[in-house]
Amino acid sequence: MKITMLGSGTSVGVPVIACECSVCTSESPRNKRLRCGLHVDFGDLSILVDTPTDLRQQALRYSIPRVDAVLFTHAHADHVYGLDELRIYNYRQRQAIPCYGSPNTLQALRKLFSYVFEKGETGGGKPKLTLREVDGPFSLGDHEIIPVPVMHGALQVLGYRFGTFAYVTDCNAVSKSSLGLLRGVEVLVLGALRYSPHPTHFTIGEAIDLSEALGVPRTILTHLGHEVDHDNPEIPLPSGVEFGFDGLQIEV
């Protein structure tokens, strides 16, 4: 299984429009962050986690040849507004793409992209998608996918576990039952927005605490805002914890 981080930035990306802070003006490529997304390549299956706003750019940059399924974490704009880019995969693959998510997420997608799911609007073409509700573990081909419910403020969203790898972004609380679903993970990509508190996201320190509580050998922080300088952490990152970056590849 080869995983590519398509983006590691927060909802507005980095650099932030009209910002002249040291991170937004940095020349370091790892301080240039597209919106969060993930590509999981099983060899026999190519899966996206979310369709970020920047999906077209990401698909071209990281050469994603096909999409066999999409797993949605939640329906906030930065995680879904690239959905229309799936059209080209429909054209090439000549079939609908199954999209998985919680009932609330799929309901929001039907509303946000009504032209996709309602009759009509066919002249310019539109994605052909099959929405499938997630209410527990499921399989794609021979691969088991375990959804991990977590809290993003007052909103329940989903992380996903694939074997010994898990992806959990946009959260600030994990229940005991979901902690159990993450036990034994060897590589965890975990959202951590900034150093100071936020009402819906883990801080860097809180994400480190969760990683240590789980005993994860390797934790990669994502959804990083422009308060975070990839090359100059404000607090030391312990062994086994690192900042993610666009294009990071992980083999499990």
Side-chain angles (χ1 to χ4, degrees):
M1 179 170 57
K2 184 171 75 174
I3 298 129
T4 303
M5 289 182 64
L6 303 179
S8 58
T10 186
S11 59
V12 295
V14 181
V16 177
I17 293 172
C19 182
E20 297 184 0
C21 76
S22 61
V23 174
C24 288
T25 57
S26 168
E27 294 184 2
S28 170
R30 296 185 180 185
N31 280 333
K32 301 183 188 305
R33 306 178 186 123
L34 300 177
R35 269 60 77 95
C36 274
L38 206 70
H39 179 231
V40 181
D41 183 359
F42 283 107
D44 59 335
L45 281 176
S46 174
I47 299 171
L48 290 179
V49 181
D50 290 332
T51 54
T53 310
D54 304 306
L55 181 58
R56 179 180 180 277
Q57 184 178 352
Q58 293 162 331
L60 290 169
R61 180 180 292 181
Y62 304 117
S63 301
I64 300 175
R66 63 177 293 116
V67 174
D68 296 304
V70 181
L71 312 181
F72 284 103
T73 60
H74 63 301
H76 284 172
D78 51 320
H79 293 263
V80 303
Y81 271 17
L83 181 140
D84 195 76
E85 307 300 348
L86 296 176
R87 270 192 302 154
I88 193 64
Y89 293 105
N90 293 137
Y91 297 157
R92 295 189 178 282
Q93 296 166 200
R94 300 183 181 278
Q95 60 186 7
I97 296 172
C99 296
Y100 295 79
S102 69
N104 287 342
T105 294
L106 300 187
Q107 181 181 9
L109 291 177
R110 290 187 182 96
K111 183 177 181 180
L112 289 167
F113 300 97
S114 59
Y115 74 95
V116 173
F117 302 106
E118 295 178 359
K119 292 183 179 180
E121 298 285 348
T122 58
K126 60 183 183 179
K128 294 179 174 59
L129 311 174
T130 304
L131 300 184
R132 299 183 179 178
E133 291 188 2
V134 171
D135 59 4
F138 59 98
S139 294
L140 292 175
D142 295 328
H143 310 287
E144 184 183 35
I145 314 298
I146 300 174
V148 181
V150 297
M151 298 307 298
H152 182 26
L155 176 68
Q156 186 180 84
V157 304
L158 294 179
Y160 291 98
R161 178 172 179 169
F162 313 83
T164 58
F165 172 83
Y167 181 70
V168 180
T169 185
D170 287 51
C171 76
N172 67 327
V174 182
S175 67
K176 288 184 178 179
S177 59
S178 290
L179 285 173
L181 295 175
L182 294 171
R183 297 287 179 191
V185 163
E186 295 180 3
V187 181
L188 172 64
V189 175
L190 180 62
L193 181 65
R194 63 192 191 192
Y195 298 97
S196 59
H198 189 277
T200 64
H201 289 272
F202 280 137
T203 65
I204 304 293
E206 290 167 340
I208 291 171
D209 289 343
L210 178 62
S211 172
E212 291 178 343
L214 288 169
V216 180
R218 184 185 183 190
T219 297
I220 302 163
L221 304 181
T222 192
H223 210 287
L224 304 170
H226 68 153
E227 299 88 349
V228 179
D229 186 334
H230 188 283
D231 302 321
N232 187 27
E234 286 187 15
I235 61 174
L237 298 182
S239 176
V241 178
E242 64 197 85
F243 290 139
F245 56 89
D246 294 20
L248 174 63
Q249 292 193 337
I250 307 153
E251 292 195 7
V252 181

